[in-house]
Amino acid sequence: ELERISANCDELASGVPTSFYSALQLLQFVRVFGGRGCIGRFDQWMYPFYQQDIDQNRITQEEAQELLECLFVKLNHFPTANQADNDTLRNISLAGQTPDGSDASNELTYMCIEASAKLMLPEPKINVRFFPGSPPDLVRACGQALAKGANTLAMFNDEVAVPSLVKLGIPLEEARDYCND
């Protein structure tokens, strides 16, 4: 395990992540070295790393879930006491729409909801976006997480948010790609 961690760190020291594991490590490095605020559309930009590893049998869904949960645990480490007293705004936006208006949910969307419901930690804040094309399973997954007592999961309505952003002058494709901060 330590050799794998070392290889990930070497990879990131000289280039871009090439696996789900190293992409998660890069996110952790950004946070440790001062990155603050919104994490963004996590399931959109991390999914290609996850799917590539799954397709090439480099990782199982269960291993990826464990790594994701480890990241969520690390997101709850506050190096100073005064940071723990404040909302860190570590929002992760999930699902919603792609810039072309199609459903953006994927397997990683559900994995994040599951991790949040299982761990019941204050960070990250899970923001799940819905629109008329959202799959019913997504509503069910959020309902199950909330029924377990998850209190960091929020649901957002793209039918309200997207037109409001367009009204402000944001192009439709960009408005569909919003995340909360």
Side-chain angles (χ1 to χ4, degrees):
E1 184 178 4
L2 292 176
E3 287 176 359
R4 188 171 181 194
I5 292 169
S6 176
N8 284 339
C9 292
D10 285 345
E11 174 182 308
L12 295 173
S14 61
V16 298
T18 60
S19 69
F20 184 66
Y21 196 162
S22 62
L24 292 173
Q25 182 64 61
L26 178 59
L27 176 62
Q28 175 63 2
F29 280 154
V30 169
R31 191 187 73 75
V32 167
F33 292 123
R36 298 284 182 259
C38 182
I39 294 171
R41 297 206 64 196
F42 184 85
D43 61 346
Q44 299 307 293
W45 50 267
M46 289 297 276
Y47 184 72
F49 294 105
Y50 168 78
Q51 191 59 55
Q52 177 182 313
D53 283 1
I54 291 291
D55 290 346
Q56 295 178 3
N57 294 317
R58 291 193 294 195
I59 197 168
T60 65
Q61 190 276 333
E62 293 79 17
E63 291 167 332
Q65 185 72 38
E66 182 179 359
L67 290 173
L68 178 64
E69 291 169 7
C70 286
L71 174 70
F72 280 24
V73 169
K74 291 303 259 178
L75 289 173
N76 284 274
H77 172 73
F78 301 94
T80 61
N82 63 348
Q83 281 183 304
D85 295 337
N86 296 314
D87 184 353
T88 63
L89 300 175
R90 291 188 184 131
N91 294 319
I92 289 181
S93 290
L94 302 174
Q97 302 172 67
T98 63
D100 70 5
S102 58
D103 176 38
S105 65
N106 58 49
E107 190 173 353
L108 196 50
T109 305
Y110 295 91
M111 291 169 63
C112 289
I113 294 167
E114 180 182 329
S116 180
K118 177 182 177 186
L119 298 172
M120 297 291 192
L121 295 168
E123 299 289 342
K125 308 294 190 264
I126 304 295
N127 301 309
V128 184
R129 295 176 38 199
F130 290 91
F131 75 113
S134 295
D137 285 346
L138 185 60
V139 175
R140 194 171 300 110
C142 289
Q144 289 171 342
L146 291 168
K148 288 180 181 178
N151 66 355
T152 61
L153 191 147
M155 296 186 281
F156 292 85
N157 185 348
D158 281 6
E159 287 186 282
V160 173
V162 173
S164 296
L165 293 169
V166 170
K167 198 174 193 178
L168 291 172
I170 297 171
L172 178 59
E173 294 78 18
E174 291 180 32
R176 286 178 179 147
D177 205 25
Y178 80 91
C179 62
N180 300 7
D181 189 9

